[in-house]
Amino acid sequence: MILEALGSAVLGLILAWAATHRLAHRLPARPLVFCTGVAGALFGDFVTHSALGPGTALLSLLGAAIISVASLSLLLRPTRRLRRRSATA
């Protein structure tokens, strides 16, 4: 179980690094991105392990990856601001 949690944390770090590498202009500060990636992966591992039980390490890592990516996607900002038109235009 401890190795599974460590693997999930490393997976979250890798996914957060990939997100900051590819989408640095659309993400907030790097420490927040890395913390969110790790926290999402650990939470995903916990939920998947609780639902499926012991002995499903690969499925738990898959659940960790899915939740980590989902939580990282919540940090994305739009590329440009929406333009509001005035009421007279």
Side-chain angles (χ1 to χ4, degrees):
M1 173 105 172
I2 290 179
L3 289 177
E4 188 177 323
L6 286 175
S8 296
V10 169
L11 180 63
L13 279 175
I14 291 170
L15 291 172
W17 176 82
T20 57
H21 183 68
R22 297 275 299 160
L23 303 167
H25 62 284
R26 295 184 60 191
L27 289 169
R30 291 178 70 132
L32 177 66
V33 174
F34 284 113
C35 290
T36 303
V38 171
L42 288 173
F43 182 69
D45 181 40
F46 171 73
V47 169
T48 310
H49 185 81
S50 297
L52 299 177
T56 57
L58 291 178
L59 290 176
S60 292
L61 288 177
L62 178 65
I66 290 170
I67 300 297
S68 180
V69 168
S71 61
L72 286 170
S73 73
L74 295 174
L75 296 176
L76 287 175
R77 295 180 289 206
T79 55
R80 58 185 164 125
R81 294 198 179 256
L82 297 176
R83 295 183 182 176
R84 292 188 179 181
R85 297 183 182 207
S86 63
T88 59

